[in-house]
């Protein structure tokens, strides 16, 4: 399988999972989560991303519109090596703090890496895919969080 074909299949798979998950759950099914714990995970993840010079970091509170997580953190990188370094640093920082990562998708191609920490999902994009998937628009029903406080 060519690398481009593999990238395309991975993109479609990730996009399908996000779309179907968002449609599958409704706010009525939402359970209260440990918000302070989720904020601590988010704070550590944001700091780890900043340490490796992530670009355009955004955080969306999706707790009132979805049960899949409390927060999405979306960040960008300039190239494959930086995107993988961002992912590695988030894993290391959160792992040392005792937070177990449930799953990572897209590490090898590094055009969109999704890191699932339960209440917090970290998305790291290259420029092209960030514009293509535009998660900030898709999840606009969520509340944008000012990360300057983090």
């Amino acid at each position: 399988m060519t690398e481009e074909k593999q990238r395309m299949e991975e993109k479609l798979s990730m996009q399908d999972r996000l779309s179907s998950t968002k449609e599958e759950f409704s706010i009525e099914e939402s359970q209260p989560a440990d918000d302070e714990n989720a904020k601590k995970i988010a704070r550590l993840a944001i700091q780890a991303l900043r340490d490796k010079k992530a670009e355009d970091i955004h955080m969306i509170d999706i707790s009132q519109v979805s049960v899949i997580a409390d927060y999405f953190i979306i960040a960008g990188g300039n190239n494959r090596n930086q995107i993988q370094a961002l992912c590695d640093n988030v894993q290391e920082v959160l792992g040392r703090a005792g937070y177990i990562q449930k799953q990572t998708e897209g590490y090898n191609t590094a055009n969109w890496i999704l890191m699932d920490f339960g209440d917090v999902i970290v998305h790291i994009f290259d420029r092209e895919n960030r514009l293509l998937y535009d998660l900030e628009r898709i999840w606009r029903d969520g509340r944008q969080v000012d990360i300057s406080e983090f």
Side-chain angles (χ1 to χ4, degrees):
M1 182 181 297
T2 67
E3 186 176 324
E4 188 168 327
K5 185 175 180 183
Q6 182 181 2
R7 276 184 55 195
M8 195 57 154
E9 286 180 3
E10 190 174 289
K11 285 180 191 177
L12 292 172
S13 174
M14 290 173 84
Q15 188 175 30
D16 288 344
R17 277 186 262 161
L18 274 176
S19 296
S20 65
T21 303
K22 185 177 178 187
E23 294 167 3
E24 197 172 292
F25 296 106
S26 68
I27 193 169
E28 292 78 33
E29 297 170 346
S30 179
Q31 297 291 325
D34 184 2
D35 192 50
E36 285 307 309
N37 191 50
K39 284 183 180 178
K40 185 175 180 185
I41 293 170
R43 190 173 293 114
L44 288 169
I46 289 169
Q47 188 56 52
L49 291 166
R50 284 178 175 153
D51 289 347
K52 294 295 179 183
K53 309 295 186 220
E55 296 181 344
D56 199 21
I57 303 171
H58 287 264
M59 185 165 129
I60 304 171
D61 179 345
I62 62 167
S63 63
Q64 300 301 309
V65 296
S66 178
V67 296
I68 63 172
D70 288 344
Y71 298 104
F72 272 1
I73 298 173
I74 304 166
N78 289 313
N79 56 56
R80 180 179 185 198
N81 291 337
Q82 183 191 17
I83 292 167
Q84 288 175 334
L86 290 165
C87 176
D88 293 342
N89 201 45
V90 171
Q91 286 175 333
E92 183 179 335
V93 168
L94 288 174
R96 286 185 180 181
Y99 296 106
I100 305 300
Q101 183 175 344
K102 297 180 182 219
Q103 190 168 356
T104 298
E105 296 283 338
Y107 185 86
N108 291 333
T109 57
N111 48 37
W112 175 8
I113 298 178
L114 183 147
M115 306 170 69
D116 184 353
F117 289 94
D119 292 336
V120 177
I121 298 177
V122 179
H123 301 271
I124 307 171
F125 286 96
D126 63 14
R127 286 186 181 122
E128 177 185 340
N129 285 287
R130 182 144 184 194
L131 291 171
L132 177 66
Y133 291 108
D134 197 8
L135 292 186
E136 291 93 333
R137 182 188 56 78
I138 292 172
W139 289 92
R140 68 180 168 264
D141 293 341
R143 182 180 60 84
Q144 290 285 331
V145 178
D146 179 11
I147 63 167
S148 64
E149 64 192 49
F150 284 83

